[in-house]
Amino acid sequence: MNEYVLFTDSACDLKPEILNEWGVGYDELTFRFDTEDKSYLNFEMPTGEFYEKMKGGAVAKTAAINPDTFIASFEKILKEGKDILHLAFSSGLSTTYNSARIAAESLKESYPERKIIVIDTLAASAGQGLLVYLAKKKKDEGATLEENAEYVKSLIFKLCHWFTVDDLVYLKRGGRISALSYIVGNAIGIKPVLHVDNEGHLVSVQKVRGRRTAIDTIVKKYEELADDKEGATLYISHADCERDVKIFADAIKAKFGNDVDLVTDVGPVIGAHAGPGALAVFFIGKER
């Protein structure tokens, strides 16, 4: 069995120190503010600083990873005689997956004896991160490259992503709601509950009134969908709203006795589209 490396991108919202500890390689998506020429790597700016800028009115634009960046990173691994299992940001939200696929194809001729498997996770933020963790765990158990790839693929349509956002302006900017829905929704305190569907797109599922109702709705989704309510691996990502993380975590603990396994920041690349106050929960369920 040839040695292989797990690889991903920074849309997984796992901190570099975690990825490094797990032995997972990564490349970074980038962002910039509309008033600046400078582009930042996703992990370059502290998330607290990023969200303070957004709260002050700054608008961030994001950019996918290009094939050349992946080629450079993949080639270093191939030259070491190792294969690659790459878990990519959803193709429904970014062209990053396609860049990784192009990079893998372009390296075949130069490294015919090596293997690169690129998987479209159809996931985002710590949902993608949860798949990375489960793949790492499977690798540690001795799974081959092909076995691990099949294992990850078996989880993709069971990976639940449930989100809510605090300010509808970011959904309006992204074209997910109309200007009228934005005006009316903000006026009456509408908080959408969203998920990532089987095509990897972020879609609105339900509209509720009030932040606490949105959180309670996500708790109900966990109760409805979680494959193992008392023992599920549960990840949460948040955009500068730690108080709401605790509200959700306490509700799950009280109802099912289950702890949250990992809390991460929603990084700038995802946060640029979700805005401050975004709260996202991820777990393996019966279906998405």
Side-chain angles (χ1 to χ4, degrees):
M1 180 180 74
N2 195 65
E3 187 176 353
Y4 66 96
V5 172
L6 288 175
F7 207 91
T8 191
D9 56 66
S10 61
C12 70
D13 282 342
L14 296 176
K15 292 181 179 178
E17 52 265 36
I18 293 176
L19 293 170
N20 292 334
E21 179 185 340
W22 291 354
V24 177
Y26 64 92
D27 278 324
E28 296 190 54
L29 288 84
T30 60
F31 70 93
R32 67 176 182 83
F33 293 106
D34 58 355
T35 56
E36 300 179 13
D37 292 329
K38 176 179 171 57
S39 287
Y40 298 86
L41 295 172
N42 185 63
F43 294 131
E44 188 174 352
M45 179 179 289
T47 52
E49 180 182 344
F50 175 77
Y51 288 118
E52 281 304 310
K53 285 178 176 288
M54 288 193 79
K55 289 173 186 177
V59 176
K61 306 291 185 182
T62 63
I65 300 169
N66 61 49
D68 288 343
T69 297
F70 279 126
I71 287 171
S73 296
F74 288 172
E75 192 162 27
K76 288 177 185 177
I77 297 167
L78 300 178
K79 283 180 176 178
E80 295 174 355
K82 299 174 183 177
D83 298 329
I84 299 168
L85 177 57
H86 177 68
L87 306 188
F89 184 23
S90 172
S91 63
L93 298 170
S94 171
T95 60
T96 295
Y97 159 73
N98 198 46
S99 292
R101 186 188 59 77
I102 292 168
E105 285 293 323
S106 72
L107 288 165
K108 274 186 177 180
E109 186 175 344
S110 300
Y111 299 89
E113 74 286 1
R114 297 274 61 84
K115 296 178 183 177
I116 305 175
I117 298 178
V118 178
I119 296 178
D120 180 358
T121 65
L122 301 173
S125 193
Q128 180 183 343
L130 178 53
L131 288 179
V132 171
Y133 165 73
L134 294 172
K136 181 260 183 191
K137 187 176 176 184
K138 199 73 172 176
K139 182 174 184 287
D140 289 345
E141 292 170 358
T144 66
L145 173 71
E146 292 82 3
E147 288 169 345
N148 211 343
E150 289 306 309
Y151 171 68
V152 171
K153 289 175 185 177
S154 76
L155 296 174
I156 287 174
F157 296 111
K158 297 179 180 179
L159 177 60
C160 298
H161 307 57
W162 288 94
F163 293 75
T164 189
V165 299
D166 196 44
D167 192 332
L168 299 178
V169 68
Y170 304 103
L171 296 182
K172 180 176 76 72
R173 282 178 188 164
R176 301 190 185 278
I177 61 172
S178 68
L180 180 60
S181 294
Y182 161 69
I183 294 168
V184 174
N186 265 2
I188 63 175
I190 290 293
K191 303 297 179 186
V193 176
L194 310 99
H195 85 138
V196 174
D197 67 12
N198 284 342
E199 295 180 346
H201 299 122
L202 185 61
V203 295
S204 179
V205 175
Q206 193 172 344
K207 296 174 182 177
V208 299
R209 296 186 68 169
R211 178 73 165 188
R212 183 56 191 260
T213 305
I215 295 171
D216 290 344
T217 300
I218 295 175
V219 172
K220 289 176 183 175
K221 289 296 182 183
Y222 179 85
E223 182 174 14
E224 175 189 339
L225 294 170
D227 197 36
D228 178 7
K229 296 175 183 58
E230 290 76 28
T233 301
L234 182 58
Y235 280 16
I236 299 178
S237 293
H238 73 97
D240 200 27
C241 56
E242 290 185 10
R243 177 178 172 275
D244 292 334
V245 172
K246 187 175 187 308
I247 291 171
F248 177 84
D250 287 350
I252 294 294
K253 181 71 172 179
K255 201 161 189 176
F256 308 108
N258 193 15
D259 290 313
V260 173
D261 295 275
L262 184 68
V263 176
T264 75
D265 293 331
V266 174
V269 166
I270 303 292
H273 304 282
L279 179 72
V281 175
F282 311 94
F283 55 91
I284 301 299
K286 301 176 183 68
E287 60 184 10
R288 284 204 171 195

